[in-house]
Amino acid sequence: MDLQMGLVLLLSTAAYIGVGIAVGVRLVRLARRTKGFPERMLGISCLAGPGLVAPCLVVVHAIAEPEALVRAAAFVGQIGYALFCSVMVMFTWQCFRPDEGWARWLVRVSIATVVFSAIVGMARALGLASVLELRDMDHWAYRAIGIASVVGHLWTGLESFAYYGRMRKRRVLGLADPVVTNRFLLWGMVACGALVASGVPLAVGFLGGDSFNDVPTRLAGAAATIFGTVCLQLAFLPPQSYVRWLQKRALAAA
Amino acid sequence: MEAADPFQFVCDQLGEHVKLDRLALRGAVRLALKSAGFEPRGVRPSEMAVVVSRMLPKELTACGVVDPGPLCTRLAAAVSGLSASAAPDAPDAVFRRLGG
């Protein structure tokens, strides 16, 4: 991997971590004020994904010593990944389908899968696997969490885009705020970015490729991460200029 | 003022004034809601009032009702007077909150 590629990966990861933590902190603080379950779930997922999983992955893949640090990062990373996937599907369930039986079962199966796989991953981090083996993203336990993650992001994206379509119809009648309407679109795009970032390496792994060292795979992941990070920022921490632009555009269309 | 289901309220009121079978009436109201981006469950009275005045006349005309405009205007005024029930968080309310 050359220097330019390394820089792209570093920048995309740093942006993802920075924006994710900023959004996560804001949503958790909002949840403390409103006592709302969805904002708590979304806040925790932002803190767990970008705040825990990404830095731990960097440590596991970048260094081999000290071994205790790498094992600790792998251990904490598994907890973060399971937490991230669990709260993401809980957010989608509670926000879009709180009364649907199939959604409750999808959440249960998803959480059971990620918790079991994370326990296996934690056992490996504690000594069942060597430090270098901890980098193996094609291990079945890692793949199982990956599949749960892909399913969760796919579900989130579909629900968000479907609701965005409904909000657009409402907006024509003046019954929807343009900024809130746009937030559904952006959240769907965040899910698409996450879907590509987690789904492409998973697919490459299933096809027998080296998902971690394959350059196109890494570039696709980095591009999807940057795309998702920009959408996350615009959705939950938008600059005032973006909000004003949305409002102006809606006024012009009215 | 008691909280009522706006969808049910509109269907009941229409049934008293329009000679259409119950299924066709409910279907027309459902189609009006769908074309405005709503579902019967969870629609607020203020939103229902706009749907009734802006979208329902077209659906009723398609069902053969002659000049439904005045009726829909009266119905919109009546439904907007209903008090909103304490419904669980709709996605739009959640996403509005998430903006801070």
Side-chain angles (χ1 to χ4, degrees):
Chain A
M1 202 178 303
D2 61 17
L3 185 66
Q4 280 176 328
M5 174 77 181
L7 269 176
V8 169
L9 292 177
L10 184 71
L11 280 176
S12 67
T13 306
Y16 175 62
I17 291 172
V19 171
I21 289 177
V23 170
V25 167
R26 194 185 79 68
L27 291 178
V28 167
R29 286 172 70 178
L30 177 73
R32 281 174 65 183
R33 206 169 66 236
T34 63
K35 311 282 181 214
F37 184 80
E39 47 264 53
R40 176 157 301 142
M41 291 302 101
L42 201 54
I44 292 172
S45 81
C46 286
L47 291 177
L52 270 182
V53 180
C56 288
L57 265 179
V58 170
V59 170
V60 171
H61 287 277
I63 61 173
E65 291 180 329
E67 187 177 330
L69 177 66
V70 179
R71 288 192 180 281
F75 187 86
V76 174
Q78 291 289 337
I79 295 173
Y81 202 8
L83 187 62
F84 170 68
C85 294
S86 301
V87 291
M88 273 293 286
V89 288
M90 284 173 78
F91 167 77
T92 303
W93 167 46
Q94 281 298 303
C95 183
F96 294 101
R97 305 277 172 185
D99 302 322
E100 304 277 357
W102 65 263
R104 193 178 308 120
W105 274 105
L106 182 61
V107 169
R108 284 178 184 166
V109 171
S110 179
I111 292 176
T113 304
V114 298
V115 167
F116 178 72
S117 304
I119 289 172
V120 173
M122 288 189 289
R124 294 179 77 231
L126 289 176
L128 286 185
S130 70
V131 169
L132 288 180
E133 282 172 340
L134 292 177
R135 295 179 183 176
D136 179 14
M137 297 178 89
D138 296 329
H139 188 270
W140 68 264
Y142 204 86
R143 279 182 177 174
I145 300 187
I147 291 169
S149 167
V150 163
V151 170
H153 291 313
L154 185 64
W155 181 27
T156 300
L158 289 175
E159 295 285 7
S160 302
F161 287 134
Y163 213 88
Y164 169 66
R166 291 168 60 182
M167 291 292 281
R168 282 186 65 179
K169 289 179 181 171
R170 295 179 193 186
R171 216 179 63 194
V172 173
L173 298 173
L175 292 175
D177 184 300
V179 180
V180 178
T181 302
N182 181 256
R183 197 166 291 140
F184 281 97
L185 173 67
L186 289 169
W187 185 234
M189 287 155 78
V190 171
C192 281
L195 189 63
V196 172
S198 56
V200 169
L202 192 67
V204 169
F206 273 122
L207 293 172
D210 181 355
S211 58
F212 193 75
N213 291 309
D214 181 47
V215 173
T217 305
R218 299 299 305 272
L219 275 178
T225 302
I226 292 170
F227 174 76
T229 303
V230 171
C231 293
L232 186 69
Q233 164 98 47
L234 291 176
F236 301 118
L237 272 177
Q240 275 307 305
S241 55
Y242 181 71
V243 173
R244 276 198 301 271
W245 175 73
L246 285 175
Q247 288 166 339
K248 218 161 112 180
R249 202 182 57 158
L251 268 178
Chain B
M1 202 179 295
E2 73 178 82
D5 175 3
F7 172 73
Q8 195 57 50
F9 176 83
V10 167
C11 291
D12 291 345
Q13 291 290 310
L14 272 178
E16 288 176 13
H17 296 92
V18 174
K19 288 194 176 7
L20 268 182
D21 69 82
R22 188 173 170 271
L23 220 58
L25 267 181
R26 291 175 77 89
V29 180
R30 276 179 189 277
L31 282 175
L33 279 168
K34 192 180 176 190
S35 58
F38 291 99
E39 283 177 3
R41 194 177 55 172
V43 64
R44 299 173 191 104
S46 57
E47 295 163 342
M48 192 69 191
V50 175
V51 173
V52 166
S53 63
R54 302 267 301 270
M55 312 303 283
L56 191 57
K58 196 177 79 182
E59 298 301 337
L60 288 177
T61 304
C63 291
V65 178
V66 180
D67 192 21
L71 169 64
C72 288
T73 306
R74 284 202 308 276
L75 207 51
V79 78
S80 65
L82 295 175
S83 62
S85 60
D89 267 357
D92 56 317
V94 171
F95 271 65
R96 179 181 296 279
R97 271 205 321 268
L98 293 175

